[in-house]
Amino acid sequence: MRIEWDVAVPMSDGAILRADVFRPDDDGAHPVLMTLGPYGKGLAFQEGFAGMWQRLAAEYPDALAGSSNRFQVWETADPEKWVPDGYICIRVDSRGAGRSPGLLDMLSPQEAHDYYDAIEWAGTQPWSSGKVGLLGISYYAANQWIVAALRPPHLTAICPWEGFTDFYRDLNRHGGILSRFGQAWQDHQIFTVQHGVGERGRVNPNTGELVAGPPTLSDAELSLNRVETIGEGKRRNVVDDFSAARTPDLSQIEVPVLSAANWAHHLHTRGNFDGWDKVASTQKWLEVHGFEHYAEFYTDYGVALQKRFFGHFLSGEDTGWETQPPVFLNVRHVDGTFEQRAEQEWPLARTQWTRFYLDDGALTTTAPASTTPIDFAALGPGAEFWTPPLSQPLEITGPASARLRIASSTTDADLFVTVRVQDSDGREVSLVSAIDPHGVLGVGWLRASHRELDDAASLPYRPWHAHTREMPLTPGDPVDVDVEIWPTSIVVPTGYRLGITVSGRDYEMPGDGPWPVLYGIENRGNGVFVHDDTDDRPTDVFGGSTTLFTADGASSVLLPIIPATDEG
């Protein structure tokens, strides 16, 4: 393998970004796999994300097998697993990050144009076949959607692996409620490798060079060299030009797409489904898996899927991709296992959309005629509704929604709708999610003042909120709200119970822990994607009492029930 460190990549405005290039040890022309982003191309996975690396090594040994792992970097492909197959792997530090000088402006139009320039540079080098593919997780997936919408001529195929598509709805605000993840992520993962951190940062173990250097700047200088992206998102309560500029027009994407989603990632899940649905590409595939969000990207399962896709589109190989189903699901079971299933569409055409009504603690398919309204403290555990023990297995796979009639003692209310399952002994069922080892099974969020729908974009199972204005409540007056519940999958066995919790705060798994902590946030079912920022949720507005009305079927959830096959 030939490795070139800190290669100069010229931008159209005269700026220079720095890239590491890993390519076969020959003089041939090969297809390119690229990432561009702010995580520091020289920051070793084992050092920068030690906890994740240790779990990957312990739980998924195949992810590390067959490689020295010397060049492993967080959320990017391992060149030792790709270069021997005739690919060139290129990692570019985005402007203002790592070894690339300039203004750090995450997910901005400037970054998108830089990515465009980098793709075109790679596609025209003498060692390049002219075909460039994009492959990476999270941020390295999210900005794939953005640059692909600009249609760089040499961009040939993309595989966004668990990456959001909507800056406002996916990253910053769930249903209009601020997610605290963004600030913690930015401070811990981005600003620590901003260009100019220099000697206060890490060292690339392969080169001995500073990951975020060579200059070492003061805090004041670093602050002047970046846009406070998450701070801006916090300040802006509704969708405006700032978030719109960082959200791609998915209809402009025409290259082949393999969108790989995780059932339980409260940053990325919705984006991978939405991206697959809205791209204009005639060749597009959706794959859905579970486990930690970094795991399957590196396992034999994930790498084999990626190689079949890129082998077909970048290398022209007969990988059997012609027979790949448009949708490939790993359906979740309560014991943590998965059932692999090929499908032809999403949502599944055979879905039996079933409305379950909330009725005095019960979850029933019959609308209650008359019930007493339920009051709960907005910052308390909320109200629970359960089916009787199931007489036969029940599969829920797809997007879902809730329609609630509520009133608040204040001018607003945050609503959290959580899908739950209990076993025959009343024990809570949780599954490994993308971030949390005890993740909730499904969840949706909405700030009541953001209840206005975009009727043209809404579907019964996927209400689409405009988020362009706030509509305060009149204390005590009921309103109807629709809550989007992100796509999920769970097969509930016989004897178990299906439940829904409606609350005014994040649902927390029962028990005394100890619970994992990441970025100073305790993971109790929702990982780091919690909604407890006191600036966004002042107690005088969001700490009141919420009333839920259930009479005449006023409050219900619409769930995607998949009928059992003849094989059971």
Side-chain angles (χ1 to χ4, degrees):
M1 185 162 64
R2 296 179 183 177
I3 307 175
E4 298 172 89
W5 308 103
D6 277 348
V7 175
V9 181
M11 299 291 102
S12 54
D13 66 353
I16 297 293
L17 304 188
R18 295 292 173 178
D20 293 340
V21 180
F22 304 81
R23 55 192 180 94
D25 189 15
D26 59 37
D27 296 324
H30 301 278
V32 172
L33 290 175
M34 175 177 280
T35 53
L36 178 147
Y39 287 164
K41 61 182 175 59
L43 179 59
F45 191 156
Q46 298 90 328
E47 183 178 3
F49 301 87
M52 285 78 160
W53 177 261
Q54 291 161 10
R55 182 165 177 84
L56 187 69
E59 300 294 330
Y60 310 95
D62 61 311
L64 278 62
S67 173
S68 73
N69 299 298
R70 289 175 53 205
F71 310 109
Q72 290 276 24
V73 172
W74 176 243
E75 298 185 333
T76 65
D78 179 1
E80 289 188 76
K81 292 194 175 182
W82 288 89
V83 174
D85 285 1
Y87 293 90
I88 298 167
C89 292
I90 301 179
R91 297 166 174 162
V92 186
D93 277 336
S94 57
R95 190 180 298 225
R99 305 280 292 180
S100 295
L103 178 69
L104 176 61
D105 191 358
M106 296 186 297
L107 301 166
S108 65
Q110 179 64 67
E111 183 183 279
H113 288 293
D114 287 349
Y115 208 167
Y116 181 110
D117 289 345
I119 290 167
E120 292 307 292
W121 171 83
T124 55
Q125 295 305 299
W127 35 253
S128 171
S129 70
K131 293 185 176 182
V132 179
L134 307 182
L135 173 64
I137 314 175
S138 191
Y139 195 104
Y140 296 117
N143 65 3
Q144 287 184 46
W145 302 110
I146 296 173
V147 71
L150 300 181
R151 301 181 181 177
H154 286 89
L155 182 60
T156 307
I158 65 172
C159 179
W161 198 278
E162 300 188 33
F164 62 83
T165 59
D166 193 308
F167 181 87
Y168 181 94
R169 295 173 176 85
D170 296 348
L171 171 60
N172 258 352
R173 292 182 174 272
H174 294 146
I177 310 168
L178 185 70
S179 170
R180 193 151 67 89
F181 162 77
Q183 192 69 55
W185 162 72
Q186 177 183 258
D187 294 348
H188 285 83
Q189 284 188 230
I190 308 297
F191 290 171
T192 54
V193 289
Q194 181 182 351
H195 182 75
V197 168
E199 294 179 356
R200 291 181 292 170
R202 305 290 180 85
V203 172
N204 183 329
N206 293 297
T207 66
E209 299 287 349
L210 296 169
V211 168
T216 301
L217 306 180
S218 67
D219 288 341
E221 290 171 311
L222 289 171
S223 181
L224 290 173
N225 282 346
R226 67 192 182 214
V227 174
E228 294 284 343
T229 305
I230 300 301
E232 285 295 317
K234 177 178 179 178
R235 186 172 65 83
R236 301 161 186 265
N237 293 331
V238 297
V239 172
D240 60 11
D241 291 344
F242 187 83
S243 55
R246 289 158 174 77
T247 300
D249 180 354
L250 296 166
S251 69
Q252 295 300 306
I253 298 176
E254 296 183 331
V255 295
V257 176
L258 170 57
S259 178
N262 190 306
W263 290 118
H265 198 306
H266 298 168
L267 172 61
H268 298 312
T269 295
R270 182 182 161 283
N272 278 100
F273 286 98
D274 207 43
W276 175 85
D277 179 54
K278 292 182 178 178
V279 297
S281 310
T282 57
Q283 297 175 295
K284 60 181 183 178
W285 291 265
L286 174 68
E287 182 274 347
V288 196
H289 53 268
F291 298 134
E292 299 86 351
H293 92 106
Y294 50 86
E296 292 286 40
F297 181 83
Y298 294 100
T299 62
D300 288 346
Y301 165 84
V303 173
L305 185 73
Q306 297 155 20
K307 285 189 174 182
R308 289 178 56 235
F309 175 71
F310 285 116
H312 179 82
F313 287 107
L314 296 190
S315 301
E317 300 171 354
D318 181 9
T319 66
W321 192 257
E322 296 89 344
T323 63
Q324 179 71 16
V327 176
F328 188 78
L329 307 181
N330 289 274
V331 176
R332 297 194 299 174
H333 288 257
V334 295
D335 62 357
T337 61
F338 295 88
E339 170 194 347
Q340 293 189 341
R341 204 163 66 201
E343 300 287 355
Q344 296 301 309
E345 71 287 311
W346 182 266
L348 306 185
R350 64 185 182 279
T351 302
Q352 296 175 351
W353 298 103
T354 305
R355 194 164 291 281
F356 288 79
Y357 296 93
L358 312 184
D359 178 16
D360 193 25
L363 193 62
T364 173
T365 54
T366 303
S370 178
T371 60
T372 303
I374 301 167
D375 293 317
F376 59 87
L379 299 182
E384 299 181 2
F385 305 88
W386 293 93
T387 65
L390 299 181
S391 59
Q392 58 187 11
L394 181 71
E395 179 184 338
I396 299 169
T397 296
S401 65
R403 171 160 293 174
L404 307 176
R405 181 168 296 162
I406 63 105
S408 174
S409 62
T410 70
T411 57
D412 214 339
D414 284 346
L415 298 167
F416 298 73
V417 180
T418 306
V419 180
R420 299 170 58 193
V421 170
Q422 287 183 348
D423 69 14
S424 55
D425 294 322
R427 292 179 298 228
E428 191 82 14
V429 172
S430 67
L431 292 174
V432 173
S433 75
I435 295 294
D436 198 320
H438 305 286
V440 299
L441 305 181
V443 65
W445 313 264
L446 182 68
R447 177 156 289 173
S449 60
H450 286 239
R451 64 190 178 277
E452 183 178 29
L453 294 175
D454 180 335
D455 291 331
S458 292
L459 295 166
Y461 55 79
R462 193 208 60 192
W464 188 266
H465 297 90
H467 295 299
T468 54
R469 63 170 178 160
E470 295 176 294
M471 303 168 61
L473 304 179
T474 300
D477 286 359
V479 295
D480 291 322
V481 301
D482 294 275
V483 183
E484 177 188 13
I485 299 173
W486 284 14
T488 190
S489 175
I490 188 67
V491 178
V492 188
T494 301
Y496 283 51
R497 296 197 303 160
L498 173 68
I500 297 292
T501 290
V502 180
S503 60
R505 62 166 172 82
D506 293 296
Y507 175 76
E508 294 183 345
M509 285 290 171
D512 298 326
W515 306 102
V517 176
L518 183 62
Y519 302 152
I521 299 172
E522 194 173 53
N523 297 179
R524 293 193 60 174
N526 297 281
V528 293
F529 306 103
V530 297
H531 308 78
D532 57 3
D533 187 292
T534 54
D535 294 331
D536 183 65
R537 284 164 49 88
T539 54
D540 60 330
V541 177
F542 297 99
S545 176
T546 303
T547 302
L548 182 67
F549 299 89
T550 60
D552 300 318
S555 294
S556 62
V557 291
L558 183 66
L559 297 180
I561 305 303
I562 308 302
T565 63
D566 292 340
E567 293 80 15

